[in-house]
Amino acid sequence: MKVYPHYLLRPQLRGEGAVYDLLSRIGDDSGFAVHSVNLPEHEYKRWAEADFVLVRRDGLILLEVKGGTVTLAGREWRYENARGQAIVSSEGPAKQAITAAVALEKMLGSHLGRKVRCRWGVVFPLCRFSKAIAELPPSRLADDSICNDPAQFSEWLRRIPFDRHPPDEFSLSDEDVDAIRSILVPEFSATATLGLAVRSAEQQIVSLTSQQFAVLECLQSNPRLTLSGGAGTGKTELAALCARAEKAAGRKPAIVTPESPLSAALTRKMKEFGVPVVSRSLPVGTDTLIVDEGQDYANPAAMTALFDQLPGGLSGGRWRWFMDPNLQFVGTPPDSQCLAALTANSTSFILNRNVRSTKEIVSTIQAILDADVGISQIDGFGIRVEFHDVTAEDEAETARRLIMSFVEEGVPPRDIAVLGAGDGEGPVCRALLSSLRTVLKRASPSAEWSGYGVVSAINAFRGLEAKVVVLVDLDRLCTNTRGDAELYIGMSRASAALHLLVSQAVRSYLGEISRAGYIGKGT
């Protein structure tokens, strides 16, 4: 059976790995399975996921997988991994599977316009579970006695009960299978977003777009890829996922990205997968180069230095180059001849779906800077980008009151980023760090800011994001392409709300670079 994606998303989870392998060995060309499906219609969780969903002619099957040792004492379930770490829960795996199956039925039913039924089962692939309980009968449970034999596992899948409904209510036509494939495959859980500058170990699930999925599907057949997309189109997440796919295929990838809080976050993220993150020199043995923020390396000196270290080089090596075609560069703009060389020696993709910012933020960036940051499907509920008129004397106090109003309205401080022009050491940044010490902290490449909002230079925050972004000290912007680039980076960090504090001089500058009449009166 074909399993999507074509590599294990969470290789550290041995239970899921065992089930992935079992499904891959089932001889069923008419159906497919998807690993880790997002379920936005879950009954009581903000989001949930199904470990595996099987789509076959005899219907849908949802599998809840529990790795390690599983025990039940009274009403408490205990799930213990190989390192002895345990999770104790009063919610049993059967209930988890049932609620996930209902959520899957709702999600697919809303897409297909008709009722879709789903069977469910629970898999304990790494332990023997002999305790008889009514909520989890043998017909619903496959422990290691069944999972040790692919033929027995396949037969167990076939015999999972259809509940009170006749089997023909579950059956799917070839057209149904294809339609469900188009719905589920682009929506599998991909990776944890880096979010607000590695503020904590919290992981937020993101969904791959159809374009991103297409990139992953073509990795094997395309040794060289150039991928372009505006800020917020998911380049860093996709670069990380590409690196994991290359590693899973037995290669030795390395991610190259400029030193920044983003690179520090990416380093920690990729450590568990054994993928190094560097800024210049490739580790010995690297056979696959993955460049994030590639616009910073698109100059003769940097490209020569990188490709001289890669077996096969520019024309014959294995590489993936992610870059922003807009203004998001630090230092000098990309060299046109270097960009042409990358394109000439690779297959090119353009990512044009914005997966970070609301429609309101995207449209504002496009209107002011004429920058293509993709098409957003994220509803901002009418929360528009705000421009606040300030003077040098009152900007710091205006910013302080604005930030405290966010906190009073229930915005967690960790979701707020104050980004200053220049080096981030302007008078407003300094004043806020002094007056809001319990709310804001200075950003640094090596620190985590759990629970706090951050104050950072705009350029240092490139590649990162925050739900609420406040741009300050904008009088320190250069009034040339460098200033345009810095403004683009700052505005595109926001996912939900964006505020700019502008003096009369800054408003005039914005008016010069924006489309006529876009920026109106101050708020």
Side-chain angles (χ1 to χ4, degrees):
M1 173 177 286
K2 190 171 187 177
V3 184
Y4 296 101
H6 299 319
Y7 56 91
L8 190 61
L9 285 171
R10 296 183 286 260
Q12 74 275 21
L13 301 182
R14 292 177 53 231
E16 291 186 8
V19 176
Y20 187 102
D21 181 62
L22 281 169
L23 294 174
S24 300
R25 295 164 66 182
I26 292 176
D28 184 350
D29 296 331
S30 65
F32 64 93
V34 186
H35 173 29
S36 188
V37 176
N38 280 334
L39 299 174
E41 303 291 334
H42 196 278
E43 178 182 2
Y44 57 89
K45 296 181 181 178
R46 181 168 174 263
W47 61 264
E49 67 171 359
D51 293 327
F52 290 92
V53 174
L54 283 63
V55 183
R56 318 190 315 179
R57 290 295 304 277
D58 61 353
L60 296 167
I61 303 175
L62 182 143
L63 299 180
E64 176 73 21
V65 179
K66 298 298 182 185
T69 302
V70 182
T71 56
L72 175 64
R75 295 189 176 185
E76 284 193 344
W77 289 85
R78 180 182 176 88
Y79 311 106
E80 184 173 318
N81 63 22
R83 298 185 298 276
Q85 299 169 328
I87 295 175
V88 178
S89 174
S90 60
E91 182 182 60
K95 183 177 180 181
Q96 292 174 353
I98 292 170
T99 54
V102 171
L104 181 64
E105 290 177 347
K106 289 181 179 179
M107 182 180 75
L108 293 179
S110 66
H111 281 281
L112 299 177
R114 66 175 181 82
K115 178 66 177 178
V116 178
R117 297 198 183 279
C118 177
R119 293 185 287 160
W120 61 270
V122 175
V123 187
F124 299 162
L126 305 180
C127 74
R128 190 68 53 90
F129 190 86
S130 57
K131 193 167 187 175
I133 54 174
E135 69 178 83
L136 196 56
S139 59
R140 299 279 191 187
L141 173 65
D143 62 9
D144 68 350
S145 65
I146 292 174
C147 295
N148 285 333
D149 183 352
Q152 286 192 54
F153 185 74
S154 180
E155 179 63 17
W156 172 77
L157 288 172
R158 189 182 69 82
R159 293 179 177 272
I160 290 177
F162 291 92
D163 297 318
R164 302 179 304 277
H165 307 285
D168 59 1
E169 290 190 15
F170 291 78
S171 62
L172 302 171
S173 66
D174 289 337
E175 291 77 14
D176 291 332
V177 172
D178 289 339
I180 293 173
R181 189 195 315 269
S182 68
I183 296 167
L184 291 186
V185 168
E187 295 297 334
F188 63 82
S189 298
T191 184
T193 180
L194 296 174
L196 178 53
V198 300
R199 62 182 180 259
S200 68
E202 177 186 9
Q203 295 185 334
Q204 299 177 0
I205 301 300
V206 299
S207 298
L208 292 184
T209 66
S210 299
Q211 288 178 323
Q212 292 171 315
F213 182 77
V215 171
L216 294 177
E217 287 292 279
C218 77
L219 288 179
Q220 188 63 33
S221 57
N222 290 277
R224 291 170 295 282
L225 294 173
T226 299
L227 301 105
S228 299
T233 53
K235 296 183 298 297
T236 296
E237 286 85 357
L238 188 53
L241 206 54
C242 283
R244 291 169 57 182
E246 298 289 353
K247 185 75 174 182
R251 301 186 184 92
K252 296 181 179 179
I255 297 176
V256 174
T257 192
E259 291 185 0
S260 67
L262 171 64
S263 66
L266 199 54
T267 298
R268 286 190 289 271
K269 192 66 184 176
M270 301 311 294
K271 184 177 180 180
E272 66 175 297
F273 305 107
V275 176
V277 178
V278 298
S279 61
R280 294 289 176 187
S281 299
L282 301 184
V284 175
T286 298
D287 58 16
T288 304
L289 170 66
I290 299 172
V291 180
D292 191 26
E293 304 293 357
Q295 65 274 8
D296 281 0
Y297 294 91
N299 61 76
M303 279 183 54
T304 298
L306 286 177
F307 285 117
D308 280 352
Q309 301 175 72
L310 181 69
L314 172 65
S315 60
R318 188 173 184 86
W319 52 266
R320 287 82 175 83
W321 196 281
F322 294 84
M323 62 183 176
D324 189 328
N326 296 300
L327 300 166
Q328 194 172 180
F329 61 86
V330 174
T332 58
D335 180 83
S336 59
Q337 292 185 351
C338 289
L339 296 179
L342 290 167
T343 302
N345 287 279
S346 66
T347 300
S348 297
F349 281 83
I350 297 177
L351 301 172
N352 59 16
R353 177 177 166 186
N354 193 294
V355 295
R356 173 191 297 157
S357 304
T358 65
K359 298 174 184 177
E360 291 83 352
I361 293 172
V362 166
S363 64
T364 302
I365 294 171
Q366 292 170 339
I368 292 180
L369 295 166
D370 197 24
D372 184 1
V373 289
I375 301 169
S376 174
Q377 300 297 322
I378 304 172
D379 190 350
F381 302 100
I383 300 176
R384 64 191 180 98
V385 175
E386 297 283 354
F387 296 85
H388 304 266
D389 281 333
V390 295
T391 65
E393 290 74 24
D394 66 13
E395 183 177 357
E397 178 60 20
T398 300
R400 187 194 68 80
R401 288 201 302 263
L402 185 63
I403 292 165
M404 289 310 300
S405 72
F406 299 150
V407 175
E408 290 167 4
E409 290 172 6
V411 177
R414 66 175 181 270
D415 289 333
I416 301 170
V418 178
L419 306 182
D423 59 4
E425 297 288 346
V428 178
C429 287
R430 295 198 307 270
L432 291 175
L433 285 169
S434 176
S435 63
L436 297 178
R437 293 179 180 177
T438 61
V439 177
L440 300 174
K441 275 192 175 183
R442 170 76 67 185
S444 68
S446 59
E448 295 191 17
W449 316 303
S450 179
Y452 289 87
V454 295
V455 176
S456 171
I458 290 174
N459 285 337
F461 211 68
R462 187 180 59 160
L464 301 173
E465 66 186 65
K467 292 178 181 177
V468 179
V469 168
V470 181
L471 300 184
V472 301
D473 289 324
L474 295 179
D475 282 298
R476 308 182 86 206
L477 284 172
C478 298
T479 54
N480 53 27
T481 55
R482 285 178 180 268
D484 299 350
E486 193 170 353
L487 186 62
Y488 170 79
I489 293 170
M491 294 180 70
S492 59
R493 300 308 95 203
S495 62
L498 173 62
H499 294 257
L500 295 85
L501 274 60
V502 297
S503 66
Q504 186 57 50
V506 172
R507 181 171 286 278
S508 297
Y509 164 60
L510 295 178
E512 291 174 3
I513 64 174
S514 67
R515 295 175 182 174
Y518 181 77
I519 298 181
K521 296 180 179 179
T523 59

